[in-house]
Amino acid sequence: MRDFSSSHEWLSINTATVRKQWRLDRIIDECARRGIRAISPWRDQVAAVGLEAIGQQLRAAGVGLSGYCRGGFYPAADAAGLAAALADNRRAVDEAAALGAPCLVLVVGSLPGALEGRPAHRDLARVRAEVRDGIAATLEYARAAKLPLAIEPLHPMQAAERACVNTLEQALDLCDALDPQRTGALGVAVDLYHVWWDPKLAAQIARAGRERLLAFHVCDWLVPTRDLLNDRGMMGDGVIELRRARSWMEQAGYRGFAEVEIFSEHWWSRPGEEVLDTCIARHRSVV
Amino acid sequence: MRDFSSSHEWLSINTATVRKQWRLDRIIDECARRGIRAISPWRDQVAAVGLEAIGQQLRAAGVGLSGYCRGGFYPAADAAGLAAALADNRRAVDEAAALGAPCLVLVVGSLPGALEGRPAHRDLARVRAEVRDGIAATLEYARAAKLPLAIEPLHPMQAAERACVNTLEQALDLCDALDPQRTGALGVAVDLYHVWWDPKLAAQIARAGRERLLAFHVCDWLVPTRDLLNDRGMMGDGVIELRRARSWMEQAGYRGFAEVEIFSEHWWSRPGEEVLDTCIARHRSVV
């Protein structure tokens, strides 16, 4: 297992972590200044500055990507909505490829309208089928762009609104169905916040193997957790066995970044410099 | 599939649903008055009135039990704590048997101290082993009392504090390990609030079969859900496909009660009569 205690060369920052403090150009500067070698930016943050400008800045700063957030949200109430989602995912693939991302992270979506509190229907089997078909279509486009897709299972508490793929096993079953040859074009993003509780986590990480393990996200599960979306903890402040889980990832062949992704009203209220410095310190001490 | 639309003979009320409005003796009266044939009471509610008095009242009113809440909470930080949990579970078995309950529901527990916000450790494998050993010990005692134990998988968002058994598959794996002969002494409580999201739900209900399906709890998953514990919805107000899930239960051989269990600040703030009447109406219209 790689030793993270004396270096943060394998630390990446998901830029949502400091999205309320800074624009993306400032985030890249602050990361580069601290020797953080990679980020995972969100599409809206890129768009707010401009795709081309961000690409140039990343290259000049020597900062790479550990992923690009995000594609997905395939289900829709009608055919026009389904087609619009596919078109949007093609644009996301193009942007990820333009920025040199190693993968596009897919938050697959679930009941249409649920995010706005007005679900159009409650048919989970239907949205799971739409997700499967949507990933299949995007995969064809992404293969041509040589851009791997990483399905991210989300915590079951987000099953209605954000993702009807809720376990690593389910994500890997999709991978096996759509990419049985394990070409590297389709895999998973393992975010410990979403999967730490799963009794099959170790076994499914082993099943995934190097070809399918495209991203690894860390933060922590707070006790108590006060909000279903924006109460993620800093590594070390909660109950996730981060180092044990990373050892499973490495045993399975993963050698990429540990990407810190924290949605938290608490950390969004702190100075961005403090957040990044804390990420570095905790990456070394507990990840 | 049984038709619930014109009768509520298979409705049971988990007494937590109106615990803030009434003491248990009043709850029993109000249920009997409405032709509700069964309840599932909590130990503290029974103790507040007295075990013997409640037993007499239930028999006089002709109200039965669909379960008894609850045993479990096995993990502890030390040997004394583990032993205390076993002793407490023996008392729970005795009480359930005295009341003629068809099963004792087990909320198995998880990281010791987590419920108080101070987890003693973060070792999920350890608490899962303690849960297995605890159920094995209680099972021996419960077999002698002819009192079936129902393992209730809780939603993964409660994995740190309340239960480290979080899927039906995991609960059934425990059943198969501890009661491989399927004697009826050990099974599961399927609470749709906790398992509705599971892509393997239908398959695992079928796997469970009649011998393992000891209880069936209903309420609804609200969109958005604002609290991880006390924001359950009334049937029909959320996104759970209640009737589809009940059809899976019945195909697997289940013929028992549909027990309404709602922890909700909203419903606790309404008059108890309104809550019970709404439970009856929704049981008929959407369960």
Side-chain angles (χ1 to χ4, degrees):
Chain A
M1 186 160 155
R2 291 172 293 172
D3 178 13
F4 283 2
S5 67
S6 56
S7 135
H8 55 280
E9 66 174 315
W10 294 107
L11 168 65
S12 170
I13 299 293
N14 184 295
T15 58
T17 305
V18 284
R19 71 151 56 244
K20 296 201 181 176
Q21 289 92 336
W22 295 324
R23 279 201 343 170
L24 185 54
D25 46 358
R26 173 78 183 274
I27 296 173
I28 294 169
D29 280 344
E30 296 283 350
C31 285
R33 177 171 308 148
R34 286 169 175 78
I36 294 170
R37 298 198 301 141
I39 62 170
S40 184
W42 286 65
R43 293 181 72 191
D44 65 305
Q45 292 176 295
V46 170
V49 180
L51 180 66
E52 205 159 326
I54 291 296
Q56 287 171 358
Q57 187 188 358
L58 287 168
R59 286 187 291 276
V63 172
L65 263 54
S66 59
Y68 190 58
C69 296
R70 57 177 166 60
F73 277 86
Y74 291 106
D78 55 30
L82 293 170
L86 293 183
D88 192 53
N89 274 282
R90 288 192 295 271
R91 285 190 293 274
V93 168
D94 292 341
E95 293 166 25
L99 293 175
C103 62
L104 173 67
V105 173
L106 300 182
V107 173
V108 298
S110 192
L111 303 176
L115 206 51
E116 296 78 36
R118 294 182 303 276
H121 63 76
R122 303 178 301 174
D123 189 342
L124 268 184
R126 172 177 163 186
V127 294
R128 283 173 172 154
E130 289 171 354
V131 162
R132 182 195 150 111
D133 293 347
I135 296 175
T138 304
L139 182 59
E140 197 172 340
Y141 187 83
R143 277 190 203 277
K146 299 197 190 316
L147 199 282
L149 302 178
I151 303 170
E152 180 169 344
L154 291 205
H155 196 286
M157 71 186 174
Q158 299 177 357
E161 293 103 329
R162 286 181 178 77
C164 59
V165 172
N166 304 106
T167 65
L168 192 49
E169 181 176 35
Q170 186 188 6
L172 290 169
D173 286 350
L174 275 169
C175 291
D176 287 351
L178 299 177
D179 177 49
Q181 299 84 15
R182 299 173 71 87
T183 61
L186 185 62
V188 294
V190 177
D191 183 323
L192 291 182
Y193 187 76
H194 295 300
V195 300
W196 71 275
W197 58 271
D198 188 346
K200 303 178 87 170
L201 180 58
Q204 293 298 317
I205 287 174
R207 167 192 171 190
R210 185 168 202 149
E211 302 84 5
R212 298 275 199 230
L213 295 171
L214 301 184
F216 178 52
H217 301 178
V218 296
C219 63
D220 217 331
W221 180 273
L222 298 178
V223 173
T225 290
R226 300 178 193 281
D227 184 272
L228 277 75
L229 186 64
N230 295 326
D231 196 22
R232 299 198 197 190
M234 179 64 67
M235 299 80 74
D237 289 347
V239 298
I240 301 178
E241 297 174 288
L242 297 165
R243 201 165 273 157
R244 181 178 288 190
R246 184 164 71 85
S247 79
W248 296 335
M249 292 288 292
E250 304 230 347
Q251 281 162 32
Y254 183 75
R255 291 293 180 278
F257 290 94
E259 174 184 323
V260 177
E261 184 179 23
I262 301 177
F263 303 158
S264 159
E265 296 297 345
H266 169 73
W267 289 104
W268 283 328
S269 76
R270 307 298 308 164
E273 294 86 349
E274 176 191 332
V275 177
L276 291 186
D277 291 341
T278 306
C279 288
I280 291 171
R282 298 295 181 85
H283 176 84
R284 293 179 173 209
S285 64
V286 300
V287 177
Chain B
M1 185 162 157
R2 292 172 293 173
D3 178 12
F4 283 2
S5 67
S6 56
S7 135
H8 56 279
E9 67 174 313
W10 293 108
L11 168 66
S12 170
I13 298 293
N14 184 294
T15 59
T17 305
V18 284
R19 71 151 55 244
K20 297 203 179 176
Q21 288 94 334
W22 296 323
R23 281 203 337 171
L24 185 55
D25 46 359
R26 173 79 183 274
I27 295 173
I28 294 169
D29 280 345
E30 296 284 349
C31 285
R33 178 170 307 146
R34 288 170 174 76
I36 293 171
R37 298 197 302 142
I39 63 169
S40 184
W42 285 65
R43 292 181 72 192
D44 66 305
Q45 293 177 294
V46 170
V49 180
L51 181 66
E52 205 159 326
I54 291 297
Q56 287 171 357
Q57 187 189 359
L58 287 167
R59 286 187 292 275
V63 172
L65 262 55
S66 59
Y68 190 57
C69 296
R70 56 177 166 58
F73 276 86
Y74 290 107
D78 55 29
L82 292 170
L86 293 183
D88 193 53
N89 274 281
R90 288 192 294 270
R91 286 190 292 274
V93 168
D94 293 342
E95 293 166 25
L99 293 175
C103 63
L104 174 66
V105 173
L106 300 182
V107 173
V108 299
S110 192
L111 303 177
L115 207 50
E116 296 77 36
R118 294 181 303 275
H121 64 76
R122 303 177 302 172
D123 189 342
L124 268 185
R126 173 177 162 184
V127 295
R128 283 173 171 154
E130 290 172 353
V131 162
R132 184 196 149 113
D133 293 347
I135 295 174
T138 304
L139 182 60
E140 197 172 339
Y141 187 83
R143 278 190 202 276
K146 298 197 188 321
L147 199 282
L149 301 177
I151 304 170
E152 179 169 344
L154 292 205
H155 196 285
M157 71 185 174
Q158 299 177 357
E161 293 102 329
R162 286 181 177 77
C164 59
V165 173
N166 305 104
T167 64
L168 192 49
E169 181 175 37
Q170 187 188 5
L172 290 168
D173 286 349
L174 275 169
C175 291
D176 287 351
L178 299 176
D179 176 48
Q181 300 85 14
R182 300 174 71 88
T183 62
L186 185 61
V188 294
V190 177
D191 183 324
L192 290 183
Y193 188 75
H194 295 301
V195 299
W196 71 276
W197 58 271
D198 188 346
K200 301 177 88 170
L201 180 59
Q204 293 297 318
I205 287 175
R207 168 192 171 190
R210 185 170 202 146
E211 302 83 6
R212 297 277 199 230
L213 294 172
L214 301 183
F216 177 52
H217 300 178
V218 296
C219 64
D220 217 330
W221 180 275
L222 298 177
V223 172
T225 289
R226 300 179 192 281
D227 185 273
L228 277 75
L229 187 63
N230 295 326
D231 197 22
R232 300 197 198 191
M234 180 63 68
M235 300 81 73
D237 290 346
V239 298
I240 301 178
E241 296 174 289
L242 298 164
R243 201 164 272 157
R244 181 179 288 190
R246 184 164 73 83
S247 78
W248 296 334
M249 293 287 293
E250 304 230 348
Q251 281 162 31
Y254 182 76
R255 293 293 181 277
F257 290 94
E259 175 184 323
V260 176
E261 184 178 23
I262 300 177
F263 303 159
S264 158
E265 296 297 344
H266 169 75
W267 289 104
W268 283 328
S269 76
R270 306 299 307 165
E273 294 86 349
E274 176 191 333
V275 178
L276 292 185
D277 291 341
T278 307
C279 287
I280 291 172
R282 298 296 180 87
H283 175 84
R284 293 179 173 210
S285 64
V286 300
V287 176

